[in-house]
Amino acid sequence: MPVLTYLWIIPLLPLAGAAANGIFGRNWSKGTVTTVALSSTTLAFAAALEAVREFLSFPADQIPWIKSYFTWITAGTFRADFALQVDQLTVIMLLVVTGVGWLIHIYSSGYMHDDPGYRRFFSYLNLFMFFMLVLILAGNYLLMFVGWEGVGLCSYLLIGFYFLKQSATNAGNKAFWVNRIGDFGFILGVLLIFRTFGTLDFAAVLPRAAAMPSDPSGHVGVLTAIALLLFVGATGKSAQIPLYIWLPDAMEGPTPVSALIHAATMVTAGVYMVVRSHAIFLNAPTAMQVVGIIGCATALFAATIGLVQTDIKKVLAYSTVSQLGYMFLACGVGAFGAGVFHLMTHAFFKGLLFLAAGSVIHAMGGEQDMRKMGGLRKKIPVTFWTMFMATLAIAGAPGFSGFFSKDEILNEAQHVSPVLWGLGILTAGLTSFYMFRLLFLTFFGEQRYDEHHVHVHESPKNMLAPLIVLAILSVCGGWMAAPQLWGGVNHFKQFLAPVLDTASASAASESTGGGGSEIVQALFGAPVIAGLLGFLLAWWMYIKSPETPKKLAASLSAPYKLLSGKYFIDALYATVIVRPLVWISDTILWHCIDDGVIDGAVNGVAAVSRESGDRLRRVNSGNVRSYATWIIVGVLVFTSLLLWMVA
């Protein structure tokens, strides 16, 4: 049975796992819950592999492969099918979501083993996998929006998983509302797409958008308006300025959630949507400039905050925001393939960093403050070595996956804007510094915890095995681009070229390197030098001279407070937006309108009715003479009216 013909099976499997554990899991043992959750994701990954194998054998004229299973919505001239689509971009996302998701499910079976919400956790995690697969397999914008909203819902549930903890519920609510702002822009963009093209199918919209004349730079035409509205949605889902504020707080959720949703899959949905819509963005140069500037600004902004964070997960959270900025920088300069390449490698090394951080937290009995760690290198060696490899990857060390993807982004940016390139190089140096700072504070130096209260131990095998697999991918996940260094072809870019069928993409995929000179330039280029300087500075400050950071923080107290306070953006939002809205809701909408007008009107009518009824009740006294009097009065009044009308 060809899997591509029954492509709906892939998202259905995790949905079935979520439903089974959610409905029946209460009466099952923990082993049965684990079996159901892992089996559904294992089968989904296996089905995805088979679908990719079948897809790779298809002739070029049958790509993209689109299958409409039934008509979902019809209203007048509007029609939306439940249609799934597979092309080269889908293949990359499908393997990342199912493969990395499967590894994180295995890890979670160990990390969450003693949690009382074990069944609920896996039900939510499986449900997230279903919606994420719907998002990437969708053949039209409307079905993509269903997956888009679904992963937002699951993110809310998983961030607020520890719902008895006030900070967790606050973080879940914050993520929910910030994402609603972005989603409002996204749905407006979808509506404008339908208004412009009369359909929401990718196969119809994107070729027609590519054929339209480009909007002049600085002019907001219809394509620019669509692109900017879609990008508003992307800033919310992928945590870009100004809607990035929810992601650092999302670390309140369990660590596997941080790895799956906030590093490898959900937060990359915005990048995927922009790349999927690249034909629209390429004809909207103003929107492209906005995407590039916002991406670069976010990358640098978040990297500076990560320099001084002390919570191990918060460092990785701001690192995620920064790396997502790199992906949008790539999209903004037209290097959509490089953005997807970094999306994939980032899923490997950032997923590994979060899982390794979870292993550290597990070993430390729940402690997340790096100032209370130190000297863990020999006590948890597997965790250390895997995290070390992920750190080298994100720092862009030559040969590691991040080296290839980040270098490609910066090379593309250099051709478009030297300013964006320079800021990207600076961000690369800061990234290397704060990541090696994390590594040194956690695993090196003196022991800063009490062994009588903390029994440090290595994680179980079901947590370590995913770390090892992701470590291997963090090392070799970018080698598809390596041949370009010695005059060969960037196989990743070549694979994506049919989807990104533009002059720039085609030229890039066909370009060849200059042999040895390209290798020398890559190994000793600005990104590598910046990463090396970041490493040396971190080594000097946290290994060679560990008292320096305290002295530096004291001498530069104002910048340090600004960075440790995260530029006080949350406080600014609270003052300018949150508190005024709460005041309006409380004082005007509640007390004035709800209590005063609506309740007042309802209660007033009730009071008048009650008072009138009370007075009428007194008329019914039971006195016969009183009734006779009223009858006489009524007759006189009625007779007078008749005489007046006749006259």
Side-chain angles (χ1 to χ4, degrees):
M1 180 182 69
V3 173
L4 278 176
T5 306
Y6 301 95
L7 197 60
W8 51 267
I9 290 175
I10 298 177
L12 182 66
L13 286 165
L15 177 62
N21 276 330
I23 297 171
F24 306 110
R26 187 184 302 274
N27 301 317
W28 290 347
S29 66
K30 187 169 291 185
T32 304
V33 170
T34 305
T35 300
V36 170
L38 295 188
S39 296
S40 64
T41 51
T42 303
L43 291 173
F45 182 43
L49 289 173
E50 174 59 22
V52 171
R53 187 195 67 79
E54 294 174 11
F55 172 82
L56 294 177
S57 66
F58 276 23
D61 59 355
Q62 295 184 25
I63 299 174
W65 186 91
I66 303 172
K67 176 69 173 178
S68 177
Y69 293 97
F70 56 86
T71 300
W72 177 27
I73 299 174
T74 52
T77 59
F78 174 73
R79 170 177 170 169
D81 291 348
F82 183 85
L84 303 182
Q85 170 178 313
V86 179
D87 58 12
Q88 288 83 354
L89 178 58
T90 311
V91 165
I92 300 297
M93 294 299 297
L94 189 61
L95 292 178
V96 168
V97 171
T98 57
V100 176
W102 174 59
L103 292 173
I104 293 174
H105 273 73
I106 295 173
Y107 177 94
S108 300
S109 65
Y111 188 87
M112 301 294 292
H113 185 268
D114 298 323
D115 195 285
Y118 189 83
R119 172 188 64 87
R120 180 167 53 91
F121 175 82
F122 274 109
S123 182
Y124 291 166
L125 212 61
N126 278 178
L127 186 63
F128 167 80
M129 287 280 288
F130 162 72
F131 281 118
M132 191 67 200
L133 289 169
V134 169
L135 191 156
I136 61 175
L137 289 170
N140 56 66
Y141 280 101
L142 192 61
L143 189 56
M144 175 190 273
F145 186 71
V146 172
W148 186 277
E149 288 296 287
V151 295
L153 168 65
C154 293
S155 177
Y156 164 76
L157 295 173
L158 287 164
I159 293 169
F161 180 77
Y162 300 120
F163 56 85
L164 296 178
K165 187 179 176 183
Q166 187 62 47
S167 58
T169 58
N170 290 343
N173 290 333
K174 188 175 186 179
F176 181 84
W177 286 112
V178 172
N179 272 274
R180 294 294 71 72
I181 297 171
D183 294 351
F184 181 68
F186 183 39
I187 194 62
L188 288 179
V190 170
L191 292 173
L192 188 54
I193 288 173
F194 176 70
R195 176 68 178 82
T196 305
F197 299 99
T199 180
L200 296 177
D201 294 339
F202 297 140
V205 170
L206 299 180
R208 290 169 60 184
M212 291 176 67
S214 177
D215 289 342
S217 182
H219 175 72
V220 181
V222 64
L223 291 180
T224 302
I226 291 172
L228 289 174
L229 288 170
L230 293 179
F231 183 60
V232 169
T235 59
K237 196 67 71 186
S238 295
Q240 297 296 285
I241 292 174
L243 301 180
Y244 74 94
I245 55 173
W246 67 270
L247 195 146
D249 288 359
M251 297 304 108
E252 290 289 343
T255 301
V257 173
S258 304
L260 179 62
I261 295 183
H262 307 122
T265 54
M266 190 197 89
V267 292
T268 60
V271 180
Y272 167 75
M273 184 265 290
V274 170
V275 175
R276 175 61 71 193
S277 309
H278 69 280
I280 297 173
F281 281 85
L282 284 172
N283 283 337
T286 301
M288 291 281 283
Q289 292 172 6
V290 171
V291 172
I293 292 171
I294 292 293
C296 185
T298 302
L300 180 60
F301 178 82
T304 59
I305 297 177
L307 296 174
V308 298
Q309 296 301 303
T310 55
D311 185 309
I312 189 170
K313 287 179 65 177
K314 285 292 180 69
V315 175
L316 297 179
Y318 282 104
S319 172
T320 299
V321 176
S322 181
Q323 295 303 307
L324 289 166
Y326 262 117
M327 298 174 206
F328 282 109
L329 169 61
C331 294
V333 298
F336 295 101
V340 177
F341 194 18
H342 198 57
L343 181 157
M344 182 187 74
T345 60
H346 179 262
F348 300 151
F349 59 69
K350 184 55 66 62
L352 173 56
L353 285 168
F354 269 113
L355 295 187
S359 184
V360 170
I361 296 167
H362 176 80
M364 293 292 297
E367 182 59 65
Q368 296 183 196
D369 192 335
M370 296 183 297
R371 296 171 297 183
K372 299 178 182 179
M373 298 180 186
L376 295 176
R377 185 173 77 259
K378 295 181 180 179
K379 294 182 180 294
I380 47 175
V382 177
T383 300
F384 163 70
W385 283 108
T386 53
M387 196 167 198
F388 179 54
M389 285 187 273
T391 301
L392 289 172
I394 193 174
F400 288 77
S401 60
F403 163 76
F404 296 101
S405 58
K406 187 182 295 185
D407 194 63
E408 187 176 343
I409 292 173
L410 293 173
N411 282 340
E412 295 284 354
Q414 187 176 14
H415 299 317
V416 176
S417 170
V419 174
L420 295 181
W421 174 80
L423 294 177
I425 294 295
L426 175 60
T427 303
L430 296 178
T431 301
S432 178
F433 173 80
Y434 68 65
M435 284 309 307
F436 279 105
R437 169 181 176 265
L438 180 152
L439 196 75
F440 294 148
L441 282 175
T442 304
F443 294 100
F444 290 83
E446 62 181 12
Q447 179 180 305
R448 297 184 296 276
Y449 58 89
D450 187 354
E451 282 190 298
H452 296 291
H453 294 88
V454 180
H455 175 59
V456 178
H457 57 286
E458 189 62 278
S459 299
K461 292 180 180 179
N462 55 349
M463 292 175 62
L464 295 180
L467 298 186
I468 295 170
V469 175
L470 287 172
I472 294 171
L473 292 172
S474 296
V475 175
C476 63
W479 289 358
M480 288 179 287
Q484 191 174 25
L485 297 180
W486 51 81
V489 174
N490 183 330
H491 293 293
F492 187 90
K493 188 178 291 186
Q494 187 181 53
F495 179 72
L496 276 181
V499 179
L500 309 176
D501 190 16
T502 62
S504 60
S506 301
S509 66
E510 295 171 1
S511 65
T512 58
S517 61
E518 289 289 335
I519 297 176
V520 172
Q521 183 180 353
L523 295 180
F524 300 99
V528 175
I529 293 174
L532 180 61
L533 291 175
F535 160 74
L536 292 174
L537 183 59
W539 173 82
W540 180 70
M541 291 180 65
Y542 293 96
I543 300 296
K544 183 68 175 177
S545 179
E547 295 301 318
T548 300
K550 294 181 181 178
K551 296 178 181 178
L552 197 62
S555 61
L556 299 173
S557 59
Y560 179 79
K561 289 179 180 178
L562 184 66
L563 294 180
S564 61
K566 306 158 194 173
Y567 293 98
F568 304 102
I569 299 297
D570 284 302
L572 178 64
Y573 278 3
T575 302
V576 176
I577 299 175
V578 178
R579 288 173 188 163
L581 285 176
V582 171
W583 182 85
I584 291 171
S585 300
D586 182 68
T587 305
I588 298 177
L589 298 180
W590 178 15
H591 292 299
C592 292
I593 297 178
D594 192 20
D595 281 353
V597 178
I598 299 175
D599 287 353
V602 173
N603 294 335
V605 170
V608 169
S609 300
R610 185 172 55 252
E611 183 66 24
S612 301
D614 184 61
R615 297 195 175 192
L616 289 173
R617 180 179 58 81
R618 294 177 183 177
V619 172
N620 297 320
S621 61
N623 191 310
V624 176
R625 286 181 296 177
S626 177
Y627 292 163
T629 302
W630 282 111
I631 291 172
I632 294 170
V633 170
V635 169
L636 291 174
V637 171
F638 185 68
T639 303
S640 300
L641 285 173
L642 287 176
L643 293 174
W644 177 76
M645 292 173 66
V646 171

